Amino acid sequence: MEQRATTHHVHKLSFILLILSLAFPSSSFELRPSVADSTFLHSNDTAISDFRVLNRRALFQCPDLNPYLQINVTTQGDLSDEQFITVNVSGVLVPSDGDWVAMVSPSFSNVTTCLGSEAYYLQTGDTSILPLLCHYPVKAKYVTSDPSYLSCKNQKCQKYGNNGDCEVRTCAGSLSFHVVNIRTNIEFVFFAGGFSTPCILTKTDVPLKFSNPNSPLHGHLSSIDSTATSMRLTWVSGDKEPQQVQYGDGKSQTSEVTTFSAADMCSEFRLGSIVVPSPAKDFGWHDPGYIHTAVMSGLQPSSTFNYKYGSDAVGWSAEIQFRTPPAGGSDELKFIVFGDMGKAPLDSSAEHYIQPGSISVIKGMTEEVENGNVDSIFHIGDISYATGFLVEWDYFLNLITPLASKVSYMTAIGNHERDYSDSGSWYTGPDSGGECGVPYETYFPMPTPAKDKPWYSIEQGSVHFTVISTEHDWTEKSEQYEWMKTDMASVDRSKTPWLVFTGHRPMYSSLGADDQFLETVEPLLLNNKVDLVLFGHVHNYERTCSIYNSECLAIPEKDKNGIDTYDNTNYSAPVQAIVGMAGFSLEKFPDDFVNSDTKNVDDSFIITKK
């Protein structure tokens, strides 16, 4: 009897994600020499913009004696868990295209003075006499986002002459900001001078606070083993007391509570003889609140259940319906796999790190989940791209909630979660901004062997997934290498005939890869007859032949529908694919790989066995 792999479903969906991401091209920024001099610190797609390097700008109080200037917020009472608010700037005498508004939290962050040593801020790109803010702005917008601002269509007379004529007219503008519950108070600061030479004009008089900083939020699911009879739920709250998940027919489970602090972040980056603290430990830090986890047990595979989480003291989430994946050893599995998604603002503001395609990708995946076409999701590295600016995790978790609250959301660690010098990561760049895997492992507990050993395997349906960390030691005789060898050798192929190997950094890519990783780990794939290898890191899509040692050992043949088909009945070598196209603008690839001019499915393939 012929067995057909589920990979056709995977790559069909993954390639839809690629096409959707093209609708949101990234912005282009011209770097000043002072920034460009130190961009080597951000070599891995960090997309430096003027906003990202705010912390190194000398800050002054604007020489503006305007008595009419005001900034206020239009909102009904305290802030809800998610909403759009309107920020109004008024009393402006001379509107400028360099006027902008920043959202700052916590509101007690000092916007006038800060550490005077420029060495503390080297990691953001370059240096200045004095950094801009002790605490990095969450987001910002130029007031020219309001098209009526420069033309001064919204005028107000501030002073009338004796003859009744208006002697002083001022201008106004309004901006919309998307706000999620980050538990700390918020203020808005009005600047002139653009992001490059900012000075403070004014700020909101009264900080905005959330109506319930302890709300249970961002619930997301993950599988704990291959039985699919238990699912882990993880959520965030401002309250440290245990809460509950209530599910099924009256079942409940109390949460375990954890958190992390700035002291847990990697504390230094060495630049020659200079030692500087990481963004995660310094101006990028934001209190994460408390992370709750609880395991819902007594479930059935491939079945639908309802749940809610919280407590009477802090409130409850809405009731959510979710579906368990098929148990290992059963039949069909429909899963989505992608890497490098991150998040993008819903309000067109500038933020620390933007992945422009992520919104359309989430929309496309949500439709598939709601239509019952997805059993589970695998996000293989570069998760939120918070990279030391911790508030970004809240916005990312909010973005994925429509997906991750309804199906199993499994992850692998990437360079932007783990890598940092002197931290034990295999690659020593500053890509995690000092996070060193701590927030990632706290927000996304996977069935791993121990803390900071983020590798694991799991079976769903007819597929065994071996999920590795490319950011930890994978060399021969390392702990992870021995685990990989043992895990893949132990798979019962009569029960789970398909073996998928996945991690973040690729073995093969048009843009190059780590030859040592290829030489060390690839023989394990061949020895264990891995069917499919999935990686991210490179922000595009590529697919190989059945490849080993950089040679094609078998070429797929077209089926009657013109779809490439790999026949693994007589196994030759794994098929490898890069699926790192879920968020960033796409890397430049040769034209003969993928047609990205339409929104059609441009690549499907099938792997078969008899």
Side-chain angles (χ1 to χ4, degrees):
M1 179 179 178
E2 183 178 77
Q3 297 171 330
R4 175 167 293 190
T6 56
T7 52
H8 169 69
H9 299 285
V10 176
H11 286 282
K12 180 176 180 181
L13 290 177
S14 294
F15 202 69
I16 290 175
L17 304 184
L18 165 64
I19 297 305
L20 288 172
S21 71
L22 293 176
F24 294 83
S26 65
S27 300
S28 175
F29 298 95
E30 183 177 350
L31 300 179
R32 273 164 291 283
S34 59
V35 180
D37 287 345
S38 55
T39 56
F40 65 92
L41 288 176
H42 298 268
S43 59
N44 290 323
D45 302 295
T46 50
I48 293 178
S49 69
D50 288 348
F51 180 72
R52 285 205 68 198
V53 295
L54 273 173
N55 286 80
R56 301 152 349 270
R57 304 303 179 195
L59 182 65
F60 308 97
Q61 195 75 28
C62 297
D64 191 328
L65 302 179
N66 178 358
Y68 311 113
L69 198 62
Q70 290 186 339
I71 181 171
N72 60 70
V73 177
T74 302
T75 183
Q76 298 292 326
D78 294 336
L79 299 173
S80 64
D81 292 336
E82 180 179 12
Q83 69 180 90
F84 286 85
I85 62 174
T86 300
V87 178
N88 306 295
V89 173
S90 61
V92 180
L93 292 171
V94 182
S96 167
D97 59 7
D99 296 344
W100 58 283
V101 173
M103 172 180 158
V104 178
S105 183
S107 62
F108 54 78
S109 297
N110 195 333
V111 297
T112 55
T113 60
C114 201
L115 294 171
S117 174
E118 60 210 45
Y120 280 86
Y121 297 87
L122 286 170
Q123 281 180 276
T124 58
D126 69 351
T127 62
S128 179
I129 297 171
L130 185 70
L132 171 58
L133 300 173
C134 290
H135 199 89
Y136 196 86
V138 175
K139 55 174 62 185
K141 270 190 176 184
Y142 279 99
V143 190
T144 52
S145 297
D146 181 343
S148 66
Y149 181 64
L150 288 180
S151 61
C152 200
K153 289 183 179 179
N154 297 323
Q155 293 185 0
K156 181 179 180 180
C157 184
Q158 300 286 359
K159 182 179 180 182
Y160 290 94
N162 293 331
N163 60 0
D165 293 338
C166 184
E167 294 184 349
V168 179
R169 287 186 174 88
T170 59
C171 310
S174 296
L175 304 173
S176 177
F177 282 88
H178 176 234
V179 179
V180 301
N181 190 342
I182 54 176
R183 299 165 300 281
T184 52
N185 291 355
I186 291 170
E187 69 178 357
F188 288 89
V189 183
F190 184 26
F191 293 92
F195 296 154
S196 302
T197 56
C199 60
I200 296 175
L201 289 167
T202 188
K203 62 180 180 177
T204 46
D205 294 330
V206 180
L208 300 173
K209 62 181 181 179
F210 291 96
S211 59
N212 184 5
N214 294 330
S215 285
L217 298 169
H218 315 320
H220 52 281
L221 299 163
S222 59
S223 298
I224 68 168
D225 57 32
S226 302
T227 68
T229 59
S230 296
M231 295 285 285
R232 180 182 297 278
L233 179 69
T234 304
W235 69 94
V236 180
S237 171
D239 185 43
K240 65 180 180 180
E241 296 301 319
Q243 299 171 21
Q244 287 187 327
V245 56
Q246 296 180 353
Y247 64 100
D249 297 326
K251 296 180 181 179
S252 67
Q253 183 65 43
T254 300
S255 67
E256 296 180 357
V257 187
T258 188
T259 190
F260 53 90
S261 68
D264 297 316
M265 304 295 101
C266 290
S267 62
E268 62 187 39
F269 181 84
R270 297 184 181 276
L271 185 64
S273 61
I274 300 174
V275 178
V276 297
S278 68
K281 199 173 183 70
D282 191 17
F283 51 81
W285 171 255
H286 184 270
D287 193 313
Y290 297 91
I291 294 85
H292 295 249
T293 66
V295 174
M296 295 180 282
S297 59
L299 308 176
Q300 295 297 318
S302 302
S303 301
T304 299
F305 299 88
N306 289 352
Y307 70 89
K308 64 178 182 179
Y309 55 94
S311 71
D312 291 338
V314 303
W316 293 89
S317 72
E319 190 167 72
I320 302 165
Q321 185 177 87
F322 76 101
R323 183 173 177 82
T324 54
S330 57
D331 295 326
E332 184 182 42
L333 174 69
K334 297 175 289 185
F335 66 101
I336 296 177
V337 62
F338 57 87
D340 308 80
M341 186 172 70
K343 58 113 189 86
L346 300 182
D347 57 12
S348 72
S349 62
E351 293 184 353
H352 161 65
Y353 211 169
I354 295 173
Q355 293 71 42
S358 58
I359 294 175
S360 57
V361 166
I362 288 289
K363 181 180 178 181
M365 290 193 293
T366 299
E367 292 175 357
E368 296 295 331
V369 169
E370 291 177 347
N371 291 333
N373 296 329
V374 179
D375 294 317
S376 62
I377 294 172
F378 285 81
H379 186 166
I380 54 173
D382 286 4
I383 307 298
S384 74
Y385 288 93
T387 59
F389 296 81
L390 278 302
V391 75
E392 303 289 328
W393 280 106
D394 286 286
Y395 274 90
F396 173 78
L397 292 169
N398 177 74
L399 184 68
I400 68 169
T401 295
L403 301 168
S405 64
K406 296 178 179 178
V407 295
S408 176
Y409 196 96
M410 308 301 291
T411 58
I413 200 167
N415 53 300
H416 285 294
E417 285 76 59
R418 185 60 183 84
D419 295 1
Y420 209 70
S421 65
D422 298 328
S423 71
S425 57
W426 183 249
Y427 300 95
T428 57
D431 295 351
S432 77
E435 291 184 12
C436 300
V438 174
Y440 162 75
E441 289 194 283
T442 308
Y443 287 123
F444 291 95
M446 295 290 113
T448 58
K451 183 178 180 179
D452 202 29
K453 295 180 181 180
W455 50 84
Y456 64 95
S457 65
I458 197 161
E459 293 183 351
Q460 295 179 347
S462 57
V463 184
H464 180 101
F465 294 91
T466 298
V467 183
I468 72 158
S469 169
T470 56
E471 311 313 301
H472 290 72
D473 189 356
W474 33 254
T475 58
E476 196 168 356
K477 296 184 180 179
S478 68
E479 181 180 358
Q480 185 176 199
Y481 180 90
E482 294 298 324
W483 174 85
M484 285 188 277
K485 184 168 64 173
T486 301
D487 176 71
M488 289 187 284
S490 68
V491 179
D492 183 352
R493 303 301 283 270
S494 66
K495 178 185 174 185
T496 47
W498 302 106
L499 179 50
V500 174
F501 182 92
T502 187
H504 184 60
R505 295 177 186 255
M507 291 183 177
Y508 294 98
S509 166
S510 294
L511 301 183
D514 187 331
D515 290 340
Q516 185 183 2
F517 178 50
L518 176 70
E519 293 169 3
T520 302
V521 178
E522 190 183 32
L524 293 179
L525 308 182
L526 189 73
N527 293 342
N528 291 284
K529 297 186 176 180
V530 170
D531 296 291
L532 179 63
V533 181
L534 297 168
F535 291 117
H537 193 61
V538 175
H539 302 150
N540 214 316
Y541 172 84
E542 285 188 293
R543 170 167 60 89
T544 69
C545 55
S546 296
I547 193 169
Y548 182 72
N549 196 25
S550 301
E551 294 184 7
C552 285
L553 301 188
I555 301 294
E557 297 182 356
K558 299 290 185 183
D559 70 1
K560 62 182 180 181
N561 297 314
I563 297 175
D564 279 359
T565 301
Y566 300 81
D567 187 353
N568 276 13
T569 303
N570 297 312
Y571 181 83
S572 55
V575 179
Q576 300 214 15
I578 291 174
V579 289
M581 66 294 184
F584 263 107
S585 296
L586 304 181
E587 307 276 12
K588 299 297 183 182
F589 268 9
D591 293 336
D592 57 353
F593 279 101
V594 176
N595 173 14
S596 57
D597 295 329
T598 71
K599 291 187 178 181
N600 298 324
V601 176
D602 285 309
D603 187 55
S604 297
F605 65 92
I606 298 169
I607 303 176
T608 63
K609 294 180 185 178
K610 293 181 181 177

